[in-house]
């Protein structure tokens, strides 16, 4: 029996921004050749350091790239439809109704001059054509679904009257208002304390299972990836360097960058020095001629400075961008 097509398919995506150096403006790829698929009901993690291109990839899927950015190559398909060729109005209809989004900072994502209930109701009026009264009732039900106590009262509150965890739950309620098939969560727990992080992650997991949601989770936290995702894609300097089932990648990382990320997770003996990847993320406008990770890599060979490694498939659906591929098998 043939496999059903993925809900989201990103193929060879290249996103460029203009960069000025010494009075000369040229376009630089912040995402270069990224390919990711998300099946129906599947959760995929997109992992990497700040500035590697994770959030820009999500904004391209949503059709929310800043004006100076452009999709220079590649294709984004949602439910079999080419999003890259869609008009601004078609993309607007896609957001909210079919793709939900929660960002990093609920404090800035919510409008401070409107109540929480009205902000959720607006999405219901726009996409589901509910009347204002029915939309407000549904907004309260959504706040109850994300486990906000006294939801009817909280719906009348303004964002500053809620705690950080409650604001993030309200954002999640708004993202789920129109029962989207795909939820994009961009660092959804970064601005929260550890206890609230655990509560939000548990809520995301249960809601995804209850609603059969597909999830694109963008994070730098491999612990969050282990908790929520089926597959993980690791990004470095705008390129995917390792892709595979989450348990396999975390147990047997093959790319030196993935190995470095896992080794840097705290959890050793008390007082032990934390492991860190040496060096810094390269300037995307001045990448090395060969492997972008080579200057920081402990497995570096002379050819790594000359040859740009392709993303090659190995066993069990694993893909690795490494000439050495010295990881454990």
């Amino acid at each position: 029996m043939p496999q059903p097509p993925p809900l989201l398919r990103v193929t060879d995506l290249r996103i460029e921004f203009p960069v000025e150096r010494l009075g000369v403006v040229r376009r630089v790829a912040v995402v270069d050749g990224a390919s990711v698929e998300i099946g129906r009901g599947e959760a995929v993690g997109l992992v990497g350091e700040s500035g590697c291109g994770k959030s820009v990839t999500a904004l391209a899927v949503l059709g929310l790239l800043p004006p100076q950015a452009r999709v220079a190559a590649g294709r984004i398909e949602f439910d079999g439809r080419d999003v890259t060729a869609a008009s601004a109005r078609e993309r607007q209809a896609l957001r909210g109704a079919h793709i939900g989004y929660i960002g990093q900072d609920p404090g800035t994502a919510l409008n401070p001059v409107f109540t929480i209930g009205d902000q959720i109701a607006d999405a219901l009026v726009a996409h589901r054509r509910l009347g204002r009264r029915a939309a407000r009732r549904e907004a309260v039900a959504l706040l109850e679904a994300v486990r906000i106590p006294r939801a009817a009262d909280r719906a009348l509150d303004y964002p500053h009257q809620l705690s950080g965890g409650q604001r993030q739950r309200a954002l999640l309620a708004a993202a789920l208002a129109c029962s989207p098939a795909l939820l994009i969560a961009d660092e959804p727990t970064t601005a929260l304390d550890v206890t609230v992080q655990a509560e939000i992650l548990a809520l995301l997991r249960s809601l995804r299972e209850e609603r059969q949601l597909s999830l694109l989770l963008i994070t730098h936290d491999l612990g969050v990836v282990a908790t929520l995702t089926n597959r993980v894609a690791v990004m470095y300097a705008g390129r995917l360097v390792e892709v595979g089932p989450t348990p396999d990648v975390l147990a047997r990382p093959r790319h030196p960058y993935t190995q470095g990320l896992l080794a840097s997770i705290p959890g050793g003996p008390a007082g032990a020095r934390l492991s860190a990847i040496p060096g810094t993320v390269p300037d995307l406008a001045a990448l090395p001629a060969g492997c972008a990770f080579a200057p920081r890599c402990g497995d570096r060979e002379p050819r790594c400075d000359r040859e740009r490694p392709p993303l090659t498939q190995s066993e069990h659906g694993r893909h690795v961008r490494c000439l050495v591929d010295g990881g454990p098998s």
Side-chain angles (χ1 to χ4, degrees), residues 13 44 69 73 109 113 115 128 134 190 238-239 319 326:
L13 184 66
V44 174
V113 301
T115 66
R128 287 175 51 183
T190 295
R239 298 178 184 132
H319 292 77

Side-chain angles (χ1 to χ4, degrees), residues 18-302:
V19 173
E20 181 178 352
R21 295 284 170 85
L22 301 175
V24 177
V25 178
R26 66 187 184 94
R27 302 199 73 87
V28 172
V30 298
V31 174
D32 191 1
S35 296
V36 178
E37 292 186 355
I38 302 178
R40 297 174 190 277
E42 185 181 32
V44 174
L46 188 56
V47 178
E49 293 170 278
S50 296
C52 73
K54 308 184 303 294
S55 294
V56 173
T57 301
L59 292 177
V61 172
L62 291 161
L64 290 176
L65 285 173
Q68 68 271 28
R70 73 175 185 189
V71 175
R75 184 180 176 96
I76 301 170
E77 296 172 87
F78 179 79
D79 202 12
R81 182 179 176 186
D82 184 3
V83 177
T84 45
S87 67
R89 177 174 291 185
E90 289 171 330
R91 290 181 183 180
Q92 185 178 18
L94 191 66
R95 293 190 296 269
H98 303 283
I99 302 177
Y101 174 72
I102 52 175
Q104 300 179 21
D105 186 357
T108 58
L110 293 165
N111 192 320
V113 301
F114 292 102
T115 66
I116 294 298
D118 279 345
Q119 293 186 60
I120 298 172
D122 284 344
L124 295 163
V125 172
H127 293 290
R128 287 175 51 183
R129 301 292 189 266
L130 293 185
R132 178 58 61 173
R133 183 175 296 179
R136 286 185 177 131
R137 287 197 300 269
E138 182 66 15
V140 172
L142 285 161
L143 290 174
E144 291 172 343
V146 297
R147 300 170 195 169
I148 289 185
R150 296 170 55 209
D153 293 333
R154 295 288 74 79
L156 300 176
D157 285 344
Y158 291 87
H160 73 274
Q161 295 176 284
L162 273 61
S163 68
Q166 287 175 329
R167 286 195 293 265
Q168 192 64 290
R169 289 170 187 264
L171 272 184
L172 180 55
L176 298 177
C178 299
S179 301
L182 172 66
L183 177 66
I184 298 178
D186 189 353
E187 302 277 9
T189 60
T190 295
L192 307 175
D193 64 46
V194 174
T195 302
V196 179
Q197 283 183 16
E199 293 173 356
I200 294 296
L201 292 176
L203 177 61
L204 268 175
R205 184 168 57 248
S206 64
L207 287 172
R208 193 179 77 79
E209 293 170 354
E210 289 169 12
R211 296 172 177 245
Q212 292 297 296
L213 277 170
S214 297
L215 174 67
L216 175 59
L217 175 68
I218 297 168
T219 183
H220 63 273
D221 189 333
L222 288 169
V224 174
V225 167
T227 301
L228 283 178
T229 68
N230 311 114
R231 288 191 303 117
V232 60
V234 182
M235 183 173 270
Y236 183 78
R239 298 178 184 132
L240 295 178
V241 295
E242 184 159 6
V243 182
T246 299
D248 292 349
V249 171
L250 298 187
R252 295 179 298 279
R254 301 195 65 86
H255 195 279
Y257 178 59
T258 314
Q259 295 167 21
L261 289 177
L262 286 165
S264 65
I265 296 175
R273 178 183 289 273
L274 293 175
S275 177
I277 301 173
T280 59
V281 177
D283 182 350
L284 293 176
L287 289 175
C291 175
F293 188 65
R296 307 176 70 186
C297 183
D299 297 328
R300 177 181 182 180
E301 295 181 355

